[in-house]
Amino acid sequence: MEQYDPGRLSPAQAAAVRRGLATGRTGPPRRSLLRSGAGGVLAAGGLGTLSACGIPPAGKTGGGVPAEDHSAKEKQLAFSNWTEYMDVDDSGRRHPTLEAFTRRTGIAVAYTEDINDNNEFFGKIKPQLAAGQDTGRDLIVVTDWLAARLIRLGWAQKLDPANLPHAFANLSPQFREPDWDPGRAYSYPWQGISTVIAYNEKALDGVEVTSVSDLLDNARLKGRVGLLTEMRDTVGMTLLDMGKDPGRFTDDDYDAAIARLQRAVDQGQIRRFTGNDYTSDLSKGDFAACLAWAGDVVQLKADNPDIGFLVPDSGYITSSDNLLIPSRARHKTNAERLIDYYYEPEAAAELAAYINYVCPVDGVREELAKIDADAADNPLILPDKAMQAKSRAFRSLSPAEETACETKFAKLTGA
């Protein structure tokens, strides 16, 4: 049997990555490949799959084994994150929340914005993790599918609940039980990402939009609808519209969603599939309505009063970027203290006010209102209970499912 390489993409998965690059999302690099699930080939494939194909479980090669924790003697930690994903002061050089953490705890944080793409970052740390070596990082932020991969490979350390009282108490219910990390034993969300419907009121010109069905079927929107190049978002929202749960769908359900999208494409309903560059189409009115990411909508609406959003009654797709501690990290307890710090309402509010993505921390509203009253009332940043109840996650995929799903979606989008 050909040896299975967990870092190698199938042709369909590589095409999905190219879609993200070709569409040229215009936001920060973090947003540019943030949602790229194309490389998540181990999202649900168990370690038995690896063993059968020539790669032993990570625990047998040294992965997943914690290093001696030097936190008590070494008041420091190394934190790797995406760009534009931390609060900064007016100078653009200092991070107020990190500095406050250091003042309180005496723990110095070496903060590095060295994650530009999930696949690229995994390729960077994989050799060290596979060899049972320290990556030089105590805390990292990766998207759902890569978090699932690291956990399944045994390359993330199990968290100590005793060091995470605020995180345990304040984690929003909608993020508590991902199928790839039940009970959040290895991870906590850094920020949430919601997929909603955005619209340009002027471009709609009186057309009512309330659902994905309206995007796909309303002839008055023909040629003025945008869908996302991210398979999980576009197919997930379509599954919800069809009354299916993206967390439990079957192969037949997926094929039915693809067929429904194909009809809309064939009828000229869809102007194009886009990455983050939908923001330009929506602002100009080339899109009357489209699928969009909540963090972008917050920023777009601030600049253009015609921009609005809606959450369909059928629900919406939610994913997250997640904090993990790599195996062999030297400062596990220090990293856990930093995770817990960002689940205190004051620190979480400062971060949310700057980032504008979904805050995963309950009880932050009062503190955020002191900083930005509009942000505190924005359900795209702090979903209320009604909106949280509509949140759904796209289920983990096995390697075979990933390849099949991406192949069908690539054919649909013409990638």
Side-chain angles (χ1 to χ4, degrees):
M1 177 183 289
E2 179 183 8
Q3 189 178 61
Y4 179 71
D5 180 356
R8 186 179 63 200
L9 304 184
S10 71
Q13 292 158 350
V17 173
R18 288 196 298 272
R19 287 199 303 273
L21 290 168
T23 53
R25 294 188 185 180
T26 56
R30 172 189 59 80
R31 210 174 294 151
S32 297
L33 286 168
L34 172 64
R35 302 301 314 283
S36 177
V41 295
L42 289 180
L47 296 178
T49 303
L50 296 176
S51 300
C53 295
I55 296 180
K60 295 182 180 179
T61 59
V65 181
E68 179 184 352
D69 191 355
H70 296 265
S71 294
K73 294 182 179 179
E74 299 176 3
K75 294 294 186 181
Q76 63 189 63
L77 70 92
F79 182 9
S80 284
N81 203 349
W82 300 74
T83 59
E84 304 290 333
Y85 223 11
M86 179 66 73
D87 57 302
V88 299
D89 66 4
D90 291 340
S91 73
R93 295 187 297 270
R94 301 173 63 181
H95 303 292
T97 56
L98 285 176
E99 292 185 359
F101 173 78
T102 298
R103 286 194 300 271
R104 180 200 295 183
T105 64
I107 299 170
V109 181
Y111 182 73
T112 308
E113 296 180 339
D114 61 345
I115 306 178
N116 294 305
D117 165 52
N118 283 297
N119 278 304
E120 177 187 274
F121 184 66
F122 179 64
K124 186 186 302 184
I125 63 176
K126 181 176 69 171
Q128 295 159 301
L129 292 171
Q133 298 172 353
D134 180 16
T135 66
R137 300 168 177 85
D138 300 298
L139 192 61
I140 60 176
V141 177
V142 293
T143 308
D144 288 344
W145 64 264
L146 182 51
R149 177 189 294 189
L150 293 171
I151 292 168
R152 289 189 177 277
L153 282 170
W155 293 345
Q157 294 195 46
K158 194 168 186 178
L159 301 173
D160 184 350
N163 294 329
L164 298 159
H166 296 97
F168 181 81
N170 295 335
L171 176 60
S172 173
Q174 74 183 99
F175 295 106
R176 282 191 178 273
E177 294 291 335
D179 62 357
W180 47 268
D181 185 17
R184 290 290 182 180
Y186 293 86
S187 69
Y188 270 90
W190 177 247
Q191 295 291 293
I193 308 159
S194 298
T195 305
V196 297
I197 294 176
Y199 58 85
N200 184 314
E201 187 73 42
K202 184 184 245 182
L204 279 179
D205 193 26
V207 178
E208 184 179 15
V209 173
T210 63
S211 67
V212 172
S213 287
D214 292 328
L215 299 184
L216 301 181
D217 302 330
N218 192 324
R220 293 179 63 189
L221 296 177
K222 183 175 181 178
R224 299 190 296 134
V225 170
L227 300 180
L228 294 167
T229 54
E230 300 298 344
M231 178 269 290
R232 286 165 175 79
D233 295 308
T234 291
V235 177
M237 292 291 282
T238 303
L239 285 166
L240 283 169
D241 190 70
M242 297 169 64
K244 303 296 183 179
D245 183 353
R248 299 176 179 274
F249 67 87
T250 65
D251 290 347
D252 288 343
D253 294 334
Y254 186 90
D255 289 345
I258 290 290
R260 183 154 188 245
L261 290 163
Q262 187 66 62
R263 286 194 298 273
V265 170
D266 293 343
Q267 293 167 1
Q269 187 76 4
I270 311 305
R271 184 180 182 90
R272 66 189 186 104
F273 291 82
T274 74
N276 189 239
D277 51 330
Y278 71 81
T279 56
S280 175
D281 294 72
L282 188 63
S283 293
K284 291 187 297 184
D286 291 340
F287 286 162
C290 64
L291 296 183
W293 292 300
D296 294 333
V297 176
V298 173
Q299 298 170 34
L300 286 173
K301 189 171 178 60
D303 296 329
N304 185 344
D306 290 327
I307 302 301
F309 77 95
L310 65 96
V311 177
D313 289 340
S314 58
Y316 66 102
I317 295 293
T318 296
S319 59
S320 59
D321 286 328
N322 307 277
L323 296 152
L324 283 88
I325 300 174
S327 60
R328 298 291 186 180
R330 287 176 58 89
H331 308 105
K332 179 175 182 286
T333 299
N334 290 346
E336 289 169 336
R337 291 185 68 182
L338 186 62
I339 294 173
D340 197 61
Y341 166 73
Y342 278 106
Y343 274 80
E344 296 180 23
E346 296 86 350
E350 287 192 53
L351 188 64
Y354 185 82
I355 294 177
N356 291 158
Y357 273 75
V358 178
C359 179
V361 182
D362 261 355
V364 76
R365 184 178 303 278
E366 183 177 344
E367 293 299 326
L368 184 55
K370 297 175 184 177
I371 303 170
D372 186 336
D374 290 338
D377 290 332
N378 192 330
L380 296 182
I381 298 174
L382 297 182
D384 56 24
K385 289 184 178 180
M387 185 167 174
Q388 288 182 22
K390 295 181 180 181
S391 170
R392 297 291 183 273
F394 198 95
R395 72 171 173 83
S396 297
L397 300 175
S398 69
E401 287 177 319
E402 182 81 35
T403 298
C405 288
E406 285 290 359
T407 297
K408 292 169 185 177
F409 191 68
K411 183 178 179 181
L412 169 74
T413 62

